[in-house]
Every structure is written in C-alpha cells, then in structure tokens.
Amino acid sequence: MTVVIGFEGSANKIGIGIIRDGEVLSNPRRTYITPPGQGFLPRETAKHHRAVILTVLREALDEAGLKPADIDCVAYTKGPGMGAPLLTVALVARTVAQLWGKPLVGVNHCIGHIEMGRLITGANNPTVLYVSGGNTQVIAYSERRYRIFGETIDIAVGNCLDRFARVIKISNDPSPGYNIEQLAKKGKQYIELPYTVKGMDVSFSGILSYIEEMANKMLSSGQCTAEDLCFSLQETLFSMLVEITERAMAHCGSQEVLIVGGVGCNLRLQEMMGIMCEERGAHLFATDERFCIDNGAMIAQAGWEMFRMGQVTELSDSWITQRYRTDEVEVTWRD
Amino acid sequence: MASWVGDSIFDNQFELTIEVPFPSQREVSIALQSLSPDHEPRTGGTIKSLSASANALSVKWNAVKARSLRVSVSSFLDHLALVMETMDTFGQPDLQ
C-alpha cells in the first residue's frame, strides 16, 4: 500500500489530503473569504494559509488516523498559481518531508484536478474541461501528455464570474460562483451578451467589460434584475465552454467528458454539458464541490501516480513556479 | 549590521548578514533545505545567499535598494518562522 499526503494552496483555498491507493482518508480544507466587492490578493492569501496550515495538517493526520511514519510520500503543488500562497505551502511540505524522512513530489495543479476527477468518476480517457478561477482549458490525453486543445486567451471563466460578482456586490461566501448560480435560478430574462469563441479558444475579458459597463445602469433603471444578469452571464459563458468541448470531442473521437476545477461544480454547467453529451451519445463525468474545488487529496492523487512511477523531486529542485502549463508534464503513469 | 558601501548615491550597495541559531545540525540542515530552493525575483536587484554551520543558519543579502532589501528580509523572516513552527509542531520524536 502506498500512502501519499498532498498539500495544496495555489489560490484562496488551503487543503491537505491523504490518499491510500485510491481511497481518500482525509481531505480538510479552509477558504480565505474576502468581503463583497473584493478579490483575494497574494499577500493576504498567503497570510491566511500561514495562519491555518499547521492546524489543517493536524486535522488531515487525525482524520486519517495516521502517524507521519505511515506516510510514504509528501506531494505539494509546484504550480501554477499565486507565488506567495504556493510558497507558504511548499515550505511546510519541504519541512515535514525532511522531518519525517519522506520523499517529496512536486505536482502540477492542473494534473491534480485531472487525476482526481478520473479517480472519483472512473472516467477512463475523457476529454477534460478544466474550469476554475485561474484556468480554462479543454484537454485530451495523447502520447504521454495532457494536451491543451483549447483555452482562454485572456482571463479564466471563474475569474470572469468572480469579478462580475464584485461589480454587483454578491457575497464571496461560500464562493461568488455558488451565489451567482443560486441567483441565476431566479433569472427570468435573457440579456444578450457578446459571445466570443475564437476557433478552439475562448475569450472572457470583453464579456466582463461589457457587463461591468452596463450592469449597474440596467439595474438602477430597472431594465433587469441581478438575477437576470447572473442567468444571462452563466448561459453565455457555459455555452461557449460546451461548444469548444464538443469540438474537441469530435476532433478526438471521444465519447467521454470530464469536468474538473472549481467552476465544474456548477450544476447548470453540468446540465448544459449533459445535454450536449446526450445528443452525441457520450457520457458526462463530474464531481461535487469536495473534489472539484481545490483540495489536498487531488495533489496526493497525482503525487501517488508519480511516486508509483518512481518520480520524486529533490529538495533543490522543489522551487515553486507561478506558470506551469498542463502539457509540460510527461504523464508516465498512463499508456 | 547593515553597511553602506559605494562611490555615489547612484551606486549604493547594502549588505546584511543574520545568524539564526538552531539546537543541532539536523535542524540547521532542514531549515537550509526548506528555505533555499526559491530564488529572489530577478527584478529586485537583491541577492540572498544561505549557508549552514554546525548549529546556525546564516543568511547574507546584497541589495541595491534599501526598500527591496527590507521586502526580502521581511518575507524571509516570515518563512523562517513558519519552518521553525512546523519543526516544533511536527518534528517531535513521539509523532514518529
């Protein structure tokens, strides 16, 4: 049996999870929540992670009922993400790896999402839609790489949603995306927004500028409600995502879709993707907020795969990196 | 400890050295390896070098601007404190 502990903290979530051969033994997490109208900044986010990380680590061990000696490998997020939070988490991972005499494995955050999604859903070789606050990519596996078929050319879809939430002062608790999703259910009117698919890629910054410009005017004049705006924004953004995912599936001849990343727990996105899959006779795989949203177990799972293939990261090579593309990683654990 | 060396105010150079004592070689080595892998941002003009002796970690900075020196030292001390707290909390032999 191989037991891996995973440390994640590339954005505003800090999570530590323990995996034993595909079984999640523990996966505690904390989220840094900012007041309405405010985003999270690197310094403050790192301070948050710093304040709770040792408590979360204690919880992860206690919930799993394990002692450090039971762990075989320490995995941590090498990147991509915000520098200061990544470093805070990496420091603790490096230190415990040495204290406990365990090997260290640096994990690509995106690969963590994909491997966790595959583990939880049992999807074999899916076309992956990875959607979060920092990333938007359509990915398919080929020849030892997770290849990016389409991606955002500017901001991530979750960033577009988060920043829209700030404009109309939607709460960030538990997350802006969740609150937009709830409001959208009560939307009655579709407001037309720019639709910007460019080949296999998507663009969200123009849509955000457009809605930022018109939102408060339309709300104050009573032309539409906040619920209508949430509904219209979701429908537009998610249609674009479904379109590029479908095109990637057609290209690869794939009959499976896996949605991962924080935006992936949005049920309306899952529903729209499900309709497309049904029309194509394909199968949709998605997970809930425990595993979609950043967590420690996903880093442990990708670390588990890497460690089993004999990959370890020397301490001197364990630097963190804000930029780290999904297709930079050689996937040694798949055929 | 900070000294100012240079020909003119346009060519100033700050140097700072601090020594952090540890109970044993083991802790010094762990702290050194946890704190060494990440390099300073190239734009700051600050160079930081870490080294270890038998029971102390020593850190030396060379900086062009006092401001970037302060930023680097301040974040280093935060990182050091986190590493030491981690050792205190999870490095006890009874946890093994």
Side-chain angles (χ1 to χ4, degrees):
Chain A
M1 284 193 297
T2 306
V3 180
V4 179
I5 187 166
F7 289 74
E8 156 60 28
S10 59
N12 69 332
K13 267 79 65 181
I14 162 94
I16 302 175
I18 301 177
I19 292 249
R20 180 174 58 204
D21 295 345
E23 183 191 355
V24 180
L25 300 181
S26 63
N27 200 14
R29 171 171 68 196
R30 298 282 192 286
T31 305
Y32 171 53
I33 294 169
T34 48
Q38 286 180 34
F40 55 92
L41 299 168
R43 238 179 81 92
E44 286 71 27
T45 309
K47 221 173 138 183
H48 166 269
H49 291 4
R50 162 82 175 81
V52 300
I53 187 166
L54 297 180
T55 311
V56 178
L57 175 53
R58 169 59 57 212
E59 277 178 28
L61 290 166
D62 289 351
E63 277 173 37
L66 293 181
K67 294 190 293 296
D70 303 322
I71 288 163
D72 296 302
C73 169
V74 176
Y76 73 100
T77 308
K78 186 175 178 68
M82 284 182 164
L86 278 172
L87 182 52
T88 302
V89 173
L91 284 168
V92 174
R94 285 174 199 150
T95 304
V96 296
Q98 293 182 83
L99 288 170
W100 303 339
K102 309 296 177 186
L104 196 62
V105 175
V107 172
N108 178 303
H109 180 86
C110 316
I111 302 287
H113 274 295
I114 298 169
E115 292 308 333
M116 197 64 194
R118 289 180 64 225
L119 171 70
I120 297 294
T121 64
N124 178 38
N125 184 24
T127 299
V128 181
L129 176 67
Y130 170 30
V131 275
S132 68
N135 292 280
T136 304
Q137 298 178 341
V138 180
I139 301 157
Y141 176 79
S142 165
E143 308 269 321
R144 303 218 168 264
R145 301 271 164 181
Y146 283 113
R147 297 185 194 266
I148 302 168
F149 280 73
E151 63 189 315
T152 176
I153 58 171
D154 39 60
I155 59 173
V157 62
N159 193 236
C160 182
L161 289 164
D162 293 353
R163 285 163 70 176
F164 164 71
R166 276 179 239 163
V167 172
I168 61 165
K169 299 280 193 311
I170 292 173
S171 166
N172 290 323
D173 189 7
S175 73
Y178 178 81
N179 293 324
I180 290 173
E181 183 181 354
Q182 306 317 311
L183 287 168
K185 289 175 185 167
K186 295 177 222 133
K188 294 200 166 57
Q189 176 188 184
Y190 178 75
I191 316 289
E192 198 166 325
L193 298 168
Y195 183 94
T196 40
V197 172
K198 296 169 189 273
M200 286 301 293
D201 294 331
V202 284
S203 163
F204 300 115
S205 69
I207 302 175
L208 177 65
S209 301
Y210 182 87
I211 203 163
E212 276 177 342
E213 177 75 24
M214 56 82 107
N216 286 317
K217 278 183 215 156
M218 285 187 78
L219 290 175
S220 54
S221 67
Q223 279 174 276
C224 71
T225 63
E227 287 81 358
D228 294 335
L229 289 174
C230 291
F231 166 72
S232 307
L233 184 60
Q234 276 199 172
E235 295 300 302
T236 306
L237 301 181
F238 296 167
S239 303
M240 290 163 56
L241 296 173
V242 172
E243 180 186 332
I244 60 166
T245 307
E246 181 171 20
R247 200 172 296 127
M249 289 171 78
H251 182 78
C252 302
S254 167
Q255 290 295 91
E256 288 182 340
V257 179
L258 171 65
I259 310 181
V260 298
V263 182
C265 61
N266 186 300
L267 295 177
R268 178 58 185 151
L269 173 60
Q270 293 184 12
E271 184 185 12
M272 289 168 74
M273 194 66 79
I275 294 167
M276 181 273 283
C277 286
E278 207 179 299
E279 285 171 359
R280 299 183 61 84
H283 199 74
L284 172 66
F285 297 91
T287 59
D288 62 31
E289 52 81 30
R290 290 170 300 164
F291 305 116
C292 248
I293 297 175
D294 293 351
N295 62 89
M298 67 184 229
I299 301 305
Q301 175 60 16
W304 185 90
E305 297 277 14
M306 293 169 77
F307 181 65
R308 297 266 289 200
M309 296 311 293
Q311 283 174 264
V312 291
T313 305
E314 295 303 326
L315 281 157
S316 55
D317 296 326
S318 67
W319 36 270
I320 54 103
T321 171
Q322 301 194 63
R323 300 187 188 283
Y324 190 7
R325 279 176 69 82
T326 314
D327 50 14
E328 280 178 52
V329 178
E330 190 186 0
V331 181
T332 51
W333 55 92
R334 286 187 64 176
D335 296 328
Chain B
M1 275 195 289
S3 60
W4 185 83
V5 190
D7 298 334
S8 78
I9 58 164
F10 302 107
D11 184 30
N12 55 0
Q13 182 78 37
F14 294 91
E15 195 181 301
L16 175 70
T17 308
I18 62 169
E19 294 248 329
V20 187
F22 281 91
S24 77
Q25 174 77 50
R26 178 170 181 260
E27 282 87 358
V28 179
S29 161
I30 292 175
L32 177 70
Q33 299 212 70
S34 288
L35 293 163
S36 298
D38 301 284
H39 297 287
E40 294 292 310
R42 254 169 246 136
T43 49
T46 302
I47 299 162
K48 180 180 80 195
S49 49
L50 285 83
S51 58
S53 65
N55 54 2
L57 178 70
S58 87
V59 195
K60 187 181 165 191
W61 282 269
N62 288 290
V64 178
K65 290 185 200 140
R67 189 185 144 81
S68 57
L69 176 64
R70 174 178 58 82
V71 171
S72 177
V73 173
S74 159
S75 67
F76 174 80
L77 292 176
D78 284 344
H79 298 158
L80 176 69
L82 176 57
V83 168
M84 291 170 92
E85 200 184 326
T86 306
M87 286 187 197
D88 273 343
T89 317
F90 291 96
Q92 306 306 323
D94 57 309
L95 287 168
Q96 299 295 309

